[in-house]
Amino acid sequence: MPTTPVLRGKRLPRRLVQLYTGLALYGVSSALLVRGGLGLEPWGVLHQGLSTRTGLTMGVVSIVVGAVVLLLWIPIRQRPGLGTVSNVFVVGIAMDGALALVPDGRGLAVQIPLLTAGIVLNGVATGLYIAARFGPGPRDGLMTGLHRLTGCSVRLVRTGIEVAVVATGFVLGGSVGIGTIAYALAIGPLAQFFLRVFVVPPTADGGTAVAGGSPEQAILRP
């Protein structure tokens, strides 16, 4: 499976820092949602369910699921970028590191701040990662690829995938709750806001040409 060319330009160092900071913070944000115990984001529900069933850490499960999803790009002819491949590993490693450091929240006085911090940090991380323009994450590339092949709207494809992911994760023992709903309602506006905050302006040498599609095509999550 070919990868998109490595991007060049005067802002490349900034964009690399932004990419890996965003991916690491995404893993941390996912860990905060886990420790909040009030419900996870859709793919987090699946990761937690699989972790419960297999005994693997959530970070390792995230890496495995990301790699499997990336393999699904082959038949739909999606092209990964540096951010796509990095996403598979960095998010999972950061998540396990944060889970090792942050204890479970006890009581709503702790759980609600953990949930809030996790959602907001996820929005920050998403804005950083997408605005770096190194290609969509494996799960988002799957959505855009299916959208292109089927002709269905991105919203319909995304909703269908995430409903299936949440349902499967819930059956396996993943946590669905008020946090899942709060995440679904808040992540779109937060990601759009931070995408504008962290967008990298184009340079005269074309250094911000997009690998793997525009930031908007990344559909909000790594």
Side-chain angles (χ1 to χ4, degrees):
M1 178 167 48
T3 58
T4 52
V6 176
L7 305 184
R8 300 182 298 275
K10 295 179 181 178
R11 294 189 173 91
L12 181 59
R14 168 189 164 175
R15 293 170 55 224
L16 286 170
V17 170
Q18 192 166 307
L19 168 67
Y20 288 107
T21 300
L23 292 177
L25 290 180
Y26 196 98
V28 173
S29 72
S30 296
L32 293 178
L33 293 175
V34 173
R35 294 310 188 207
L38 296 175
L40 305 179
E41 77 280 13
W43 285 94
V45 177
L46 178 62
H47 297 157
Q48 189 179 57
L50 288 171
S51 175
T52 300
R53 295 290 181 171
T54 63
L56 299 173
T57 67
M58 282 191 67
V60 171
V61 169
S62 174
I63 292 171
V64 172
V65 170
V68 171
V69 172
L70 189 55
L71 289 176
L72 296 177
W73 282 33
I74 298 174
I76 61 176
R77 299 183 182 279
Q78 288 286 90
R79 298 180 64 196
L82 175 63
T84 310
V85 179
S86 298
N87 174 283
V88 174
F89 301 99
V90 176
V91 172
I93 293 170
M95 186 191 307
D96 273 351
L99 286 172
L101 296 174
V102 180
D104 286 328
R106 303 289 183 178
L108 291 178
V110 177
Q111 289 176 296
I112 291 176
L114 282 173
L115 171 64
T116 303
I119 292 174
V120 173
L121 187 60
N122 194 281
V124 173
T126 300
L128 281 166
Y129 164 74
I130 293 178
R133 301 189 180 193
F134 280 105
R139 297 154 184 84
D140 294 321
L142 177 63
M143 295 178 200
T144 56
L146 290 175
H147 155 68
R148 177 174 50 81
L149 285 179
T150 64
C152 296
S153 69
V154 171
R155 179 176 298 180
L156 180 60
V157 173
R158 176 176 177 174
T159 300
I161 291 176
E162 293 192 347
V163 167
V165 164
V166 170
T168 303
F170 179 72
V171 169
L172 292 174
S175 175
V176 177
I178 188 64
T180 308
I181 298 172
Y183 180 92
L185 294 174
I187 191 58
L190 283 171
Q192 289 293 341
F193 172 77
F194 287 111
L195 177 59
R196 295 188 184 98
V197 170
F198 297 119
V199 66
V200 181
T203 58
D205 61 5
T208 57
V210 178
S214 69
E216 290 76 15
Q217 288 176 313
I219 319 299
L220 299 182
R221 269 197 319 284

